[in-house]
Amino acid sequence: MVHFNANPSRKAFTLIEVVLALGVFFISILALIGLLAPMLKSVDEVEKIDEITSVVNTVNAFLQSSPKIPVRDTNGEITQSKFDSVYQAVSSAGSGEATLFVFRYYDGTSVDSISLEAGFSPNENDDGNFVGTNSIVDVNLFNDAAGPIYRVVLTASSVTPDNTNPPLRTTSRVNGVYTLTQSLNNYPEGYLALEARIFAEDPPGPAPNSFDTTTDLTLLSEVEPDFTFNTAIVR
């Protein structure tokens, strides 16, 4: 015969105890969820900082060492140096600024293969042959961008002397930037200090020719850049 040991002094959980236990459990879950949002935000910020750092390094490497920037003749001989090309593009002889685009794109060699593209806006040569044609960004790659397209606007830096006679740049900012005021032949310095402002922009997607490469300094003066840094090139 099977005997069951009954313990009349042992009781089950009451409804109030169950409700209290569930309440403590859900409060703990809500607290964890509350901590999760700042953690995810921190991860996003770290990724953004890493991406901006990569853009800064790419811009510096491009300006310092790219053989594509000098203007060349049909035989490939340099007719305008890298320094002269950038100066002409940034100075008032151009539009007072030079725009670079930096972005990653799907290069088509495999499903997930991604390459890096960096180059000047095609608008840089609208007012003259300021930069080498090979340094102009391939606008057809915008549609294949694998993430943000970074617009990097180069203008005269605040460290460019303005106390010379005549001054080498405007004494105050117009539309948020300084502008070089002297022609290349009248610029005596052995270096060109540049301010670079980075703006992250959404890629156009599959729509052809829908990304605007024009830089409007008036409109950009109302937009907070994602990052600003100073760089320089030497003669």
Side-chain angles (χ1 to χ4, degrees):
M1 179 180 294
V2 179
H3 297 278
F4 295 94
N5 293 324
N7 187 357
S9 63
R10 185 175 181 180
K11 298 180 180 179
F13 290 110
T14 65
L15 180 60
I16 294 177
E17 290 173 329
V18 172
V19 171
L20 288 175
L22 289 174
V24 172
F25 173 76
F26 284 119
I27 289 174
S28 301
I29 293 298
L30 290 174
L32 290 174
I33 293 175
L35 292 173
L36 186 60
M39 289 174 61
L40 292 176
K41 183 178 180 181
S42 297
V43 171
D44 289 340
E45 289 177 349
V46 170
E47 290 179 348
K48 182 177 180 180
I49 291 173
D50 289 343
E51 187 71 10
I52 292 295
T53 301
S54 176
V55 173
V56 171
N57 291 336
T58 299
V59 170
N60 281 327
F62 181 79
L63 291 175
Q64 302 301 329
S65 59
S66 176
K68 299 178 180 180
I69 298 177
V71 176
R72 300 173 184 268
D73 61 20
T74 55
N75 296 320
E77 298 296 326
I78 294 177
T79 58
Q80 182 173 272
S81 70
K82 176 186 67 178
F83 180 94
D84 293 358
S85 296
V86 175
Y87 188 94
Q88 293 278 58
V90 174
S91 71
S92 55
S95 58
E97 56 79 24
T99 297
L100 285 169
F101 291 105
V102 179
F103 61 99
R104 292 183 174 86
Y105 67 96
Y106 295 104
D107 58 26
T109 56
S110 65
V111 176
D112 298 323
S113 181
I114 294 177
S115 296
L116 179 66
E117 173 75 357
F120 284 105
S121 166
N123 304 93
E124 294 311 322
N125 285 346
D126 285 350
D127 298 321
N129 197 22
F130 292 142
V131 296
T133 55
N134 289 333
S135 69
I136 300 297
V137 70
D138 185 350
V139 296
N140 295 316
L141 298 178
F142 286 143
N143 298 334
D144 299 319
I149 296 174
Y150 292 94
R151 183 187 298 264
V152 184
V153 181
L154 305 175
T155 55
S157 171
S158 59
V159 303
T160 302
D162 66 340
N163 56 357
T164 57
N165 187 19
L168 302 180
R169 64 165 173 83
T170 53
T171 56
S172 60
R173 292 180 182 267
V174 178
N175 291 326
V177 301
Y178 293 107
T179 304
L180 295 170
T181 56
Q182 297 302 310
S183 66
L184 177 62
N185 293 334
N186 293 330
Y187 186 79
E189 302 293 333
Y191 68 94
L192 175 60
L194 298 168
E195 180 180 86
R197 293 182 295 160
I198 300 175
F199 302 87
E201 301 182 13
D202 294 330
N209 304 320
S210 60
F211 187 84
D212 188 4
T213 59
T214 304
T215 294
D216 189 324
L217 291 178
T218 302
L219 293 178
L220 282 185
S221 65
E222 301 175 359
V223 180
E224 184 70 22
D226 291 271
F227 190 71
T228 301
F229 69 100
N230 282 274
T231 187
I233 57 174
V234 296
R235 273 187 157 136

